[in-house]
Amino acid sequence: MTGMAKILNNPAFPRSNKYDPQWVMDNQMGPNALWLMEWLARDLPLEPGCRILDLGCGRAMTSIFLAREFKARVWAADLWISPENNYKRVVESGVDDLVFPIRAEAHALPFAQGFFDGVVSVDAYQYFGTDVLYLSYLSRFVRPGGFVGIVVPGLTREMDTIPRHLAEPQPSGKIFWEDACRSFKTAEWWMRHWVDDPSVTEVRTDVLKDGWRHWRDFEAALELSGKNIFPSDAHALDQDQGQYIGFIRARAQRTWVESFNLYDSSTGIQVGID
């Protein structure tokens, strides 16, 4: 077993260990999406045949994972990766009867209200979901009693200033704290953000144990494989040791109500839904 394969054989994520390490490397677009989806799925009511929207699915690894592991029917939605390329991966993985790739923008989803049993999103929701009105928009596509579940990179605690180890160049030349990191929030922040939304209830948030370590290890595996998309962040994560950087999980149930006001992202106005 190569050094890269040894790193990816993580005992914390036994389902993910079944997937070819080279396939994971070839299709990664950030921190190990299979590990993050496996962690999220542990606290979701996934059943065979359930309809799931995988929002910001990237190269559809997480959608394939949900189909293989839980026999879910998954709509693999992404803006940047073509559905043709994702469909090829889906067919090669033998789940073309369960995974349906589409191109979609997070604010213009082409689905019927209440169509899905649940929505999941891994390493994407932070880019659009910090909008105070977005969860109400997204939840309209989930049936009453269904779920929304996300995993995002975030903060393990608030920080007044950006620590030096996150703000200075690493040996790779990359500075960890980029402008997009302003979307990194704590579990407590996500809890307040979702609890205030009337479209969901039963909100739960938490932090992945040793999340910084898993992220660092995946960065190391990428370096060994030579499949880096970006310069490595392993040094900054190793310096951080989870003081500030980790992964946040949030889950909620779609409210059992007949009507409430929702935000129409196409018009920017509130609309009543019956």
Side-chain angles (χ1 to χ4, degrees), residues 175-192:
I175 296 174
F176 181 93
W177 195 267
E178 301 173 323
D179 189 55
C181 293
R182 291 185 297 146
S183 67
F184 286 14
K185 309 296 183 183
T186 64
E188 293 78 15
W189 187 95
W190 284 107
M191 171 66 79
R192 294 191 301 270

Side-chain angles (χ1 to χ4, degrees), residues 124-190:
Y125 193 84
Q126 71 275 16
Y127 295 121
F128 44 81
T130 56
D131 179 347
V132 69
L133 299 174
Y134 186 75
L135 183 57
S136 284
Y137 167 73
L138 180 63
S139 65
R140 73 169 68 179
F141 303 106
V142 180
R143 62 169 176 80
F147 63 85
V148 178
I150 67 168
V151 173
V152 292
L155 301 177
T156 57
R157 60 171 170 158
E158 298 288 355
M159 55 188 185
D160 297 325
T161 59
I162 302 170
R164 177 180 295 181
H165 64 275
L166 300 179
E168 294 184 342
Q170 304 170 73
S172 68
K174 184 175 182 294
I175 296 174
F176 181 93
W177 195 267
E178 301 173 323
D179 189 55
C181 293
R182 291 185 297 146
S183 67
F184 286 14
K185 309 296 183 183
T186 64
E188 293 78 15
W189 187 95
W190 284 107

Side-chain angles (χ1 to χ4, degrees), residues 244-264:
Y244 297 101
I245 302 301
F247 292 106
I248 312 302
R249 179 173 60 174
R251 295 85 74 211
Q253 185 180 73
R254 208 308 207 147
T255 309
W256 288 89
V257 295
E258 292 185 357
S259 66
F260 49 81
N261 289 328
L262 293 175
Y263 178 68
D264 187 335

Side-chain angles (χ1 to χ4, degrees), residues 13-25:
F13 306 103
R15 288 181 182 268
S16 300
N17 291 341
K18 297 183 291 184
Y19 292 78
D20 176 27
Q22 195 60 56
W23 182 79
V24 174
M25 291 290 102

Side-chain angles (χ1 to χ4, degrees), residues 4 34 43 87 99 189 213 230 235 239 244 254 262:
M4 178 265 289
L34 295 188
D43 198 37
Y87 183 63
V99 179
W189 187 95
R213 190 188 308 276
F230 307 107
H235 180 78
Q239 292 291 305
Y244 297 101
R254 208 308 207 147
L262 293 175

Side-chain angles (χ1 to χ4, degrees), residues 29-271:
M29 294 181 67
N32 194 322
L34 295 188
W35 289 351
L36 301 182
M37 183 58 79
E38 181 169 348
W39 180 48
L40 177 60
R42 289 171 187 163
D43 198 37
L44 297 178
L46 294 164
E47 297 180 354
C50 63
R51 291 196 295 256
I52 304 298
L53 172 61
D54 186 1
L55 185 58
C57 69
R59 293 192 172 98
M61 285 200 301
T62 50
S63 303
I64 292 166
F65 178 88
L66 291 172
R68 280 185 167 182
E69 301 301 315
F70 302 98
K71 306 303 179 186
R73 291 178 290 169
V74 188
W75 278 254
D78 199 85
L79 178 62
W80 305 113
I81 304 301
S82 75
E84 290 79 14
N85 287 337
N86 275 345
Y87 183 63
K88 181 180 178 181
R89 273 181 285 276
V90 167
V91 171
E92 290 172 349
S93 298
V95 289
D96 51 301
D97 58 334
L98 291 173
V99 179
F100 316 107
I102 67 164
R103 189 188 299 276
E105 202 280 324
H107 299 85
L109 297 174
F111 304 108
Q113 295 169 24
F115 178 76
F116 293 105
D117 296 297
V119 175
V120 296
S121 184
V122 163
D123 194 23
Y125 193 84
Q126 71 275 16
Y127 295 121
F128 44 81
T130 56
D131 179 347
V132 69
L133 299 174
Y134 186 75
L135 183 57
S136 284
Y137 167 73
L138 180 63
S139 65
R140 73 169 68 179
F141 303 106
V142 180
R143 62 169 176 80
F147 63 85
V148 178
I150 67 168
V151 173
V152 292
L155 301 177
T156 57
R157 60 171 170 158
E158 298 288 355
M159 55 188 185
D160 297 325
T161 59
I162 302 170
R164 177 180 295 181
H165 64 275
L166 300 179
E168 294 184 342
Q170 304 170 73
S172 68
K174 184 175 182 294
I175 296 174
F176 181 93
W177 195 267
E178 301 173 323
D179 189 55
C181 293
R182 291 185 297 146
S183 67
F184 286 14
K185 309 296 183 183
T186 64
E188 293 78 15
W189 187 95
W190 284 107
M191 171 66 79
R192 294 191 301 270
H193 188 51
W194 281 21
V195 163
D196 286 343
D197 195 303
S199 69
V200 297
T201 186
E202 303 296 331
V203 178
R204 307 180 305 284
T205 64
D206 55 357
V207 177
L208 176 60
K209 182 181 178 182
D210 292 328
W212 71 271
R213 190 188 308 276
H214 300 314
W215 192 347
R216 181 207 61 189
D217 289 351
F218 190 67
E219 291 282 323
L222 279 172
E223 289 185 85
L224 290 171
S225 72
K227 297 294 179 68
N228 308 56
I229 298 175
F230 307 107
S232 176
D233 278 318
H235 180 78
L237 293 163
D238 199 45
Q239 292 291 305
D240 188 73
Q241 297 276 305
Q243 295 178 78
Y244 297 101
I245 302 301
F247 292 106
I248 312 302
R249 179 173 60 174
R251 295 85 74 211
Q253 185 180 73
R254 208 308 207 147
T255 309
W256 288 89
V257 295
E258 292 185 357
S259 66
F260 49 81
N261 289 328
L262 293 175
Y263 178 68
D264 187 335
S265 62
S266 64
T267 63
I269 61 175
Q270 295 291 119
V271 294

